[in-house]
């Protein structure tokens, strides 16, 4: 298919692990169990929250949504990556690349705003405990999740449209293992500074605005915790926030390194390594961080397992 003096790209070739050609089967053997374990732990978390009435609370509603989001997030990237590790031809169609980028951005941006909603939930629980049930009713929780998804959908649509309306005629080789923004922009034949600036500013909005909301929530949370007279009470209050803080630190740390940089500092090898951490390792550790540190969840899991093993007639 010709246009102008170049050939229009109809598919992309992934070169993300090309420098590790001799180790790709070993990487497959390492990544597959991690991916299956991630799917399993997220399924256990969602099932436990749904089946145990003691966990029908806003904090666990958000945790269930987060687990579903991370399951979908990994499903967009990891299966294709695992297939490519064993395949000679590591390609994806132009449309398939656009769909992968859109879905990845939609889930990733929604994830950022969902973490902000979870921070607000912790703020209400600690700073307004007597009005917690009123302020965090089911309708409010559903509304916060819907707002996070709407923001993610809108941002993903804008960025994907801007990227894939660019001309692609010179190269179709992506130095990555999925269709992320920077690798695709790198192979575009031409893109204006304006489009690059707009995409960068949207990235700033997606990362900085939710992070500022989380910081405001935690400034008020810490202020409230310091006013609790007993050390036991302070520890108990802070322990309900510790898991969220760890996940926020990892998520925003990796995402900021990848997306809040000028294109001139783009490094394919560095970005591939960081991307492995937030597409494979972070979804693996997040469920464990939330569940293993939470006594209430562990008790609920034991009850659910008990009922499953010994069903009541």
């Amino acid at each position: 298919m010709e246009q102008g003096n170049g050939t229009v790209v109809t598919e992309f070739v992934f070169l993300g692990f090309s420098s590790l050609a001799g180790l790709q089967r070993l990487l497959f053997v390492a990544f597959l169990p991690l991916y299956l374990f991630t799917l399993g732990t997220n399924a256990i978390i969602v099932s436990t929250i749904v089946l145990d009435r003691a966990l029908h609370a806003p904090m666990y509603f958000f945790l269930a949504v987060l687990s579903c989001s991370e399951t979908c997030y990994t499903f967009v990237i990891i299966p294709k990556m695992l297939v490519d590790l064993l395949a000679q031809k590591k390609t994806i169609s132009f449309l398939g690349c656009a769909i992968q980028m859109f879905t990845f951005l939609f889930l990733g941006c929604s994830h950022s705003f969902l973490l902000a909603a979870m921070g607000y939930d912790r703020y209400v629980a600690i700073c307004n405990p007597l009005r917690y049930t009123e302020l965090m009713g089911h309708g409010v929780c559903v509304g916060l999740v819907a707002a996070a998804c709407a923001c993610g959908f809108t941002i993903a649509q804008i960025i994907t449209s801007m990227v894939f309306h660019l001309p692609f005629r010179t190269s179709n080789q992506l130095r990555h293992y999925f269709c992320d923004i920077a690798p695709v922009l790198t192979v575009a034949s031409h893109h204006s500074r304006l489009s690059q600036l707009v995409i960068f500013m949207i990235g700033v909005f997606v990362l900085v605005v939710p992070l500022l909301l989380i910081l405001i929530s935690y400034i008020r949370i810490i202020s409230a915790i310091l006013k609790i007279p007993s050390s036991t009470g302070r520890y108990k209050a802070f322990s309900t926030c510790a898991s969220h803080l760890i996940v926020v630190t990892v998520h925003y740390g990796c995402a900021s390194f990848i997306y809040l940089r000028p294109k001139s500092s783009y490094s394919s090898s560095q970005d591939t390594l960081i991307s492995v951490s937030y597409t494979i390792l972070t979804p693996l550790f997040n469920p464990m961080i939330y569940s293993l540190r939470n006594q209430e969840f562990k008790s609920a899991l034991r009850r659910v397992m008990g009922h499953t093993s010994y069903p009541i007639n």
Side-chain angles (χ1 to χ4, degrees):
M1 183 176 174
E2 300 291 331
Q3 182 173 327
N5 56 3
T7 302
V8 175
V9 170
T10 58
E11 67 177 16
F12 293 101
V13 179
F14 291 128
L15 301 178
F17 296 109
S18 59
S19 61
L20 302 172
L23 299 175
Q24 290 189 18
R25 291 183 183 275
L26 182 62
L27 289 174
F28 176 86
V29 173
F31 289 157
L32 179 60
L34 295 178
Y35 177 58
L36 294 177
F37 184 78
T38 301
L39 293 180
T41 51
N42 279 315
I44 290 171
I45 287 174
V46 174
S47 300
T48 303
I49 292 170
V50 170
L51 294 173
D52 194 278
R53 292 186 62 84
L55 300 185
H56 291 184
M59 181 175 77
Y60 295 105
F61 171 76
F62 288 122
L63 178 56
V65 174
L66 186 72
S67 294
C68 289
S69 172
E70 290 194 329
T71 300
C72 296
Y73 176 86
T74 56
F75 186 74
V76 171
I77 298 170
I78 306 304
K80 171 63 176 169
M81 182 199 74
L82 291 172
V83 170
D84 285 345
L85 285 173
L86 300 179
Q88 292 294 323
K89 188 179 181 183
K90 310 175 195 302
T91 61
I92 188 171
S93 68
F94 187 87
L95 178 60
C97 189
I99 292 172
Q100 187 184 58
M101 180 182 288
F102 170 81
T103 311
F104 161 73
L105 289 174
F106 164 57
L107 293 168
C109 295
S110 300
H111 189 93
S112 289
F113 289 103
L114 183 61
L115 288 175
M118 295 174 78
Y120 174 71
D121 170 70
R122 293 298 82 209
Y123 158 71
V124 176
I126 292 173
C127 299
N128 294 281
L130 298 179
R131 298 186 61 201
Y132 180 63
T133 305
E134 174 191 349
L135 294 174
M136 295 301 297
H138 183 70
V140 173
C141 294
V142 171
L144 288 172
V145 171
C149 291
C151 289
F153 181 89
T154 303
I155 292 164
Q157 190 173 38
I158 293 171
I159 292 178
T160 306
S161 297
M162 291 183 69
V163 170
F164 284 92
H165 273 86
L166 296 171
F168 293 89
R169 301 194 189 98
T170 55
S171 173
N172 69 339
Q173 297 185 338
L174 300 181
R175 297 192 176 279
H176 210 25
Y177 61 90
F178 70 96
C179 294
D180 206 353
I181 299 170
V184 177
L185 280 178
T186 301
V187 300
S189 302
H190 170 75
H191 54 88
S192 66
R193 289 185 178 273
L194 178 61
S195 63
Q196 186 178 337
L197 179 62
V198 170
I199 292 171
F200 178 78
M201 292 307 296
I202 292 173
V204 170
F205 172 78
V206 170
L207 293 172
V208 173
V209 171
L211 184 58
L212 283 175
L213 294 174
I214 292 170
L215 288 175
I216 292 170
S217 296
Y218 273 102
I219 288 171
R220 297 191 174 187
I221 286 171
I222 292 171
S223 177
I225 288 176
L226 292 176
K227 294 177 182 177
I228 298 175
S230 69
S231 58
T232 304
R234 289 195 295 270
Y235 174 79
K236 185 176 179 181
F238 184 76
S239 65
T240 64
C241 304
S243 299
H244 181 252
L245 274 174
I246 294 170
V247 172
V248 165
T249 302
V250 173
H251 172 77
Y252 285 100
C254 292
S256 297
F257 179 85
I258 293 290
Y259 299 109
L260 298 186
R261 294 179 303 162
K263 183 176 177 290
S264 58
S265 64
Y266 171 68
S267 167
S268 60
S269 57
Q270 279 186 342
D271 281 17
T272 299
L273 181 63
I274 297 297
S275 296
V276 166
S277 72
Y278 75 75
T279 57
I280 298 177
L281 300 181
T282 301
L284 171 70
F285 291 128
N286 282 357
M288 292 190 288
I289 291 169
Y290 271 107
S291 58
L292 295 180
R293 292 181 56 88
N294 191 308
Q295 292 297 329
E296 188 177 12
F297 179 86
K298 288 191 285 188
S299 298
L301 178 59
R302 283 192 290 268
R303 288 194 297 271
V304 169
M305 292 179 66
H307 290 156
T308 304
S309 302
Y310 304 100
I312 299 173
N313 296 324

